[in-house]
């Protein structure tokens, strides 16, 4: 993974699901970075693509045999099987780096998470999950700030991720989504446990005591209800107690929701209180620590940052550490899936749910598949 301009950049990227929302974001980011780009998507190509800008591969198996430095599976989990099978098989003979979208599995198939983790663990591939904020230089800055203290404690985290996804005038809103706890709250959960794990010297330590979740949800009203086999949630407001930290969140795709990806972290370092405020929304980014604005470009592209960071990690960090340390690897992604499941079940039951150990959290099954028959079509 190198070029003459930046040793952190992959020379080439292959994007499956390139015409979807996230896939297209990575297509544009790769083009801006000057990376050779291959795409696969059986759907109609966007009309605004520049001719000759991409290598469009029409055969799916041929696509997954490309000699690309980085594969991005911008696909719903039910459409990843063939790609994963071919790429993991290839990893026995050659280096393979895969960036995978969330959620790790469909909400109704939680058992798939264990299978995916086992299959990846048995391979030699590097597989990371796409929680863009974890790859953002602002998050690295926050982690470095927290690392300046001998003793640090995060006590409160506020997470808001919202946008108007019911507006029929926005073409993106016609892309099918899964229930919001698994699709969007999962990003917020990933951010929170990533920071907690850094302050507690490990993911296991951050999750050892389990947690308590209280959540409420409202249904999403899509502009294309015919695309949905059943109702999905479009707003979730929650409170999660995790290892002494209180995490309050709001993920909102309802009509009129503000556009924001705001984060507030409160705690103390060596006995001194601190407040960190960050906005990760594209073109509106900022980071403040104790009221002092840090030097970041508000226009910085989050998706280009993912590509750069994956390249840097793969160039500097051994595979064993990437796949088992504090990185968004499959085990990390599985924990975010489990916590998303707890939020969804709490929303459905309208009651607090406690899982008092990491072992019980790992075993938690929200029973989403059992509820599906009661989720009527729109």
């Amino acid at each position: 993974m190198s070029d003459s301009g930046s040793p952190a950049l992959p020379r080439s990227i292959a994007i499956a699901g390139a015409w979807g929302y996230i896939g297209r974001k990575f297509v544009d980011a790769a083009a801006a970075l000057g990376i050779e780009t291959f795409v696969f998507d059986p759907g109609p190509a966007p009309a605004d693509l520049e001719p000759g800008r991409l290598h469009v591969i029409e055969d799916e198996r041929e696509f997954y045999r490309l000699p690309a430095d980085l594969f991005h599976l911008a696909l719903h989990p039910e459409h990843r099987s063939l790609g994963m099978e071919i790429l993991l098989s290839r990893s026995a003979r050659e280096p393979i780096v895969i960036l995978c979208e969330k959620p790790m599995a469909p909400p109704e198939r939680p058992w798939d998470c264990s299978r995916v983790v086992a299959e990846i663990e048995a391979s030699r591939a590097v597989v990371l999950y796409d929680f863009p904020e974890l790859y953002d230089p602002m998050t690295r800055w926050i982690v470095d700030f927290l690392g300046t203290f001998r003793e640090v404690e995060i006590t409160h985290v506020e997470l808001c991720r919202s946008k108007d996804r019911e507006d029929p005038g926005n073409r993106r809103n016609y892309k099918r989504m899964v229930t919001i706890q698994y699709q969007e709250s999962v990003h917020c959960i990933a951010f929170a446990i990533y920071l907690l794990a850094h302050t507690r010297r490990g993911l296991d330590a951050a999750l050892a005591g389990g947690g308590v979740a209280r959540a409420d949800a409202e249904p999403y009203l899509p502009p294309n209800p015919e695309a949905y086999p059943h109702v999905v949630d479009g707003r979730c407001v929650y409170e999660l107690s995790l290892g002494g930290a209180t995490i309050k969140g709001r993920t909102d795709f309802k009509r009129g929701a503000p556009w924001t990806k705001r984060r507030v972290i409160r705690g103390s370092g060596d006995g001194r209180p601190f407040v960190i405020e960050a906005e990760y929304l594209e073109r509106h980014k900022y980071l403040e620590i104790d009221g002092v604005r840090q030097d970041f470009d508000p226009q910085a592209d989050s998706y280009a940052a993912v590509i750069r960071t994956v390249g840097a990690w793969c160039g500097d960090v051994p595979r064993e550490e990437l796949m088992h340390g504090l990185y968004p690897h499959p085990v990390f992604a599985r924990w975010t899936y489990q916590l998303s499941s707890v939020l969804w079940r709490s929303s459905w039951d309208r009651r607090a749910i406690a899982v008092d150990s990491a072992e019980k959290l790992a075993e938690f099954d929200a029973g989403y598949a059992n509820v599906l028959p009661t989720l009527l079509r729109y």
Side-chain angles (χ1 to χ4, degrees):
M1 286 193 179
S2 66
D3 67 10
S4 58
S6 172
L9 284 177
R11 290 181 295 263
S12 58
I13 185 171
I15 303 169
W19 311 147
Y21 179 75
I22 295 299
R24 180 60 192 274
K25 291 288 189 182
F26 275 89
V27 166
D28 291 342
L33 292 170
I35 297 171
E36 185 175 19
T37 305
F38 301 87
V39 300
F40 170 77
D41 195 315
D48 60 343
L49 283 178
E50 298 176 18
R53 174 177 159 188
L54 310 170
H55 305 287
V56 179
I57 309 300
E58 296 183 356
D59 182 87
E60 187 173 11
R61 289 182 178 274
E62 178 187 350
F63 172 83
Y64 288 116
R65 294 191 176 100
L66 290 168
D69 286 341
L70 172 62
F71 282 86
H72 181 216
L73 307 187
L75 303 166
H76 286 289
E78 61 268 27
H79 300 306
R80 298 176 197 153
S81 297
L82 178 62
M84 274 293 190
E85 178 185 348
I86 295 174
L87 293 173
L88 295 184
S89 176
R90 284 180 58 185
S91 74
R93 306 181 303 275
E94 58 187 306
I96 295 290
V97 180
I98 306 167
L99 182 65
C100 198
E101 274 303 301
K102 45 73 199 162
M104 184 175 232
E108 64 272 21
R109 295 182 59 87
W111 52 85
D112 281 358
C113 293
S114 296
R115 175 185 56 78
V116 170
V117 169
E119 289 176 353
I120 294 171
E121 185 63 27
S123 78
R124 298 176 64 186
V126 170
V127 181
L128 301 170
Y129 280 79
D130 186 19
F131 302 107
E133 289 158 22
L134 305 192
Y135 301 81
D136 197 291
M138 289 202 304
T139 301
R140 181 71 259 168
W141 191 286
I142 293 170
V143 168
D144 287 346
F145 168 75
L146 296 174
T148 62
F149 302 107
R150 293 185 301 274
E151 299 290 335
V152 61
E153 181 182 14
I154 294 175
T155 57
H156 295 84
V157 182
E158 300 170 25
L159 309 163
C160 186
R161 187 179 182 92
S162 71
K163 61 183 173 183
D164 185 341
R165 206 181 184 283
E166 292 184 350
D167 178 5
N170 187 335
R171 289 185 301 168
R172 188 283 180 261
N173 293 349
Y174 291 81
K175 301 289 185 181
R176 184 172 61 87
M177 62 176 259
V178 300
T179 197
I180 200 167
Q181 294 88 342
Y182 292 89
Q183 175 155 323
E184 296 300 317
S185 300
V186 70
H187 283 289
C188 302
I189 290 169
F191 181 83
I193 65 173
Y194 185 73
L195 293 188
L196 291 176
H198 271 281
T199 62
R200 296 173 187 178
R201 305 299 187 268
L203 189 57
D204 290 343
L207 298 168
V212 179
R214 300 170 180 85
D216 290 297
E218 297 178 41
Y220 174 56
L221 301 177
N224 55 334
E226 68 282 355
Y228 290 79
H230 57 80
V231 175
V232 300
D233 288 339
R235 176 187 290 140
C236 181
V237 180
Y238 58 91
E239 181 173 313
L240 178 64
S241 299
L242 196 63
T246 298
I247 300 164
K248 294 185 178 181
R250 180 183 184 89
T251 43
D252 190 354
F253 275 9
K254 299 289 289 176
R255 190 68 184 267
W259 289 69
T260 184
K261 296 179 182 178
R262 188 167 181 264
R263 307 282 180 262
V264 181
I265 305 105
R266 302 178 190 275
S268 63
D270 297 336
R272 180 175 69 83
F274 62 74
V275 179
I276 302 168
E277 298 185 31
E279 173 61 77
Y280 284 85
L281 186 67
E282 298 295 301
R283 298 183 297 280
H284 300 278
K285 292 184 175 184
Y286 69 82
L287 173 64
E288 289 185 358
I289 299 178
D290 293 332
V292 178
R293 186 68 62 101
Q294 308 301 305
D295 186 18
F296 283 98
D297 179 4
Q299 304 291 327
D301 187 323
S302 295
Y303 306 94
V306 173
I307 296 172
R308 287 186 182 278
T309 301
V310 170
W313 285 348
C314 290
D316 298 337
V317 182
R319 179 188 182 275
E320 180 67 17
E321 184 177 348
L322 272 178
M323 297 299 287
H324 299 98
L326 284 181
Y327 295 92
H329 48 58
V331 172
F332 180 95
R334 187 186 180 196
W335 285 119
T336 68
Y337 182 98
Q338 289 301 100
L339 285 165
S340 298
S341 300
V342 175
L343 289 190
W344 177 82
R345 190 73 221 190
S346 179
S347 301
W348 179 257
D349 289 350
R350 297 186 181 275
R351 65 177 177 87
I353 291 181
V355 283
D356 57 11
S357 68
E359 291 76 15
K360 289 187 178 179
L361 177 59
E363 296 168 357
F364 185 82
D365 184 346
Y368 192 92
N370 299 330
V371 172
L372 281 182
T374 70
L375 296 174
L376 301 177
R377 289 178 59 86
Y378 290 99

